[in-house]
Amino acid sequence: GAGVSQSPSNKVTEKGKDVELRCDPISGHTALYWYRQRLGQGLEFLIYFQGNSAPDKSGLPSDRFSAERTGESVSTLTIQRTQQEDSAVYLCASSLGPLTDTQYFGPGTRLTVL
Amino acid sequence: KQEVTQIPAALSVPEGENLVLNCSFTDSAIYNLQWFRQDPGKGLTSLLLIQSSQREQTSGRLNASLDKSSGRSTLYIAASQPGDSATYLCAVSFSQAGTALIFGKGTTLSVSS
């Protein structure tokens, strides 16, 4: 079956612009996660959605970052007024249920802020 | 603060060799530990998931062990092949870290033919 998909695969933007990244999880997966991986760094957790519960936003680095999820489907991660330090690969993952289940990752969106 | 450490950062071996990748974590209160593989320019592929109640998991040539009391996990790769070349990531779901998976920085493996 189809895995997690993300779009765009690459995004180049100018400092100060807003960007929107999209994630399509595996159908039927109730949990969805966003991570980012900056060059030479490990993956950092950003935000977690589980069903209709309030999202866990504890990993968002600043109020310029926000994310939404429509039910148990598509999620968008929005970064406002992008900065150069936002340059990273943004990875989305989904799992059948929370915490104890395997997370399946998408290919990521490589964001470059000039 | 919960942390995950992977040693070594890089490893080069000849084809056919058995090898062990190490992962250590700072808190024994965990939900599970996962090993992932990351190929350049691609996303992560889950290899093995070990629940906190388990001691090991096996898949093909891969065997992962978990020792919560010592805060350690190992990924054993038998009869390595050039196709095993990738970065291997260890990630831990800590009970006190909410829903976040905490990742190590990975071990980059190169298997030469």
Side-chain angles (χ1 to χ4, degrees):
Chain A
V4 178
S5 61
Q6 292 185 245
S7 61
S9 55
N10 281 284
K11 176 71 177 178
V12 180
T13 191
E14 294 179 348
K15 178 181 173 181
K17 300 284 189 182
D18 297 351
V19 295
E20 191 172 276
L21 313 179
R22 177 187 170 106
C23 171
D24 285 86
I26 294 172
S27 178
H29 280 195
T30 64
L32 186 147
Y33 310 76
W34 283 98
Y35 297 86
R36 74 174 175 182
Q37 187 174 30
R38 289 187 283 190
L39 189 63
Q41 304 292 317
L43 272 78
E44 303 170 73
F45 165 77
L46 296 177
I47 189 169
Y48 161 72
F49 295 91
Q50 171 58 47
N52 294 318
S53 302
D56 176 355
K57 303 179 182 181
S58 60
L60 294 179
S62 78
D63 59 7
R64 295 186 296 104
F65 287 72
S66 62
E68 294 183 346
R69 187 182 187 192
T70 307
E72 293 186 352
S73 61
V74 172
S75 175
T76 55
L77 176 69
T78 301
I79 309 173
Q80 296 178 308
R81 305 181 302 281
T82 52
Q83 304 294 313
Q84 288 184 332
E85 62 262 29
D86 299 335
S87 296
V89 176
Y90 289 82
L91 291 160
C92 174
S94 70
S95 64
L96 192 59
L99 295 174
T100 57
D101 288 348
T102 299
Q103 295 185 22
Y104 296 89
F105 281 75
T109 293
R110 180 175 297 278
L111 174 67
T112 303
V113 182
L114 301 176
Chain B
K1 177 182 177 183
Q2 290 94 352
E3 292 183 349
V4 178
T5 304
Q6 292 186 247
I7 295 173
L11 180 64
S12 293
V13 300
E15 182 177 7
E17 196 163 293
N18 302 325
L19 60 101
V20 174
L21 307 181
N22 297 292
C23 172
S24 61
F25 47 95
T26 53
D27 186 346
S28 62
I30 68 172
Y31 287 116
N32 60 51
L33 182 146
Q34 284 187 241
W35 282 93
F36 293 88
R37 168 184 174 141
Q38 185 172 31
D39 293 278
K42 298 185 179 180
L44 277 65
T45 302
S46 180
L47 298 173
L48 291 165
L49 168 70
I50 310 178
Q51 303 292 355
S52 63
S53 58
Q54 298 172 325
R55 292 192 63 84
E56 68 175 343
Q57 283 286 327
T58 298
S59 176
R61 294 182 295 108
L62 305 179
N63 176 278
S65 68
L66 174 64
D67 183 343
K68 283 194 307 180
S69 62
S70 66
R72 295 180 187 275
S73 175
T74 61
L75 179 67
Y76 175 82
I77 302 177
S80 58
Q81 303 171 356
D84 295 331
S85 298
T87 296
Y88 290 81
L89 297 169
C90 171
V92 178
S93 178
F94 290 99
S95 305
Q96 298 304 314
T99 52
L101 266 182
I102 308 297
F103 282 81
K105 293 188 176 181
T107 294
T108 299
L109 173 66
S110 177
V111 182
S112 57
S113 56

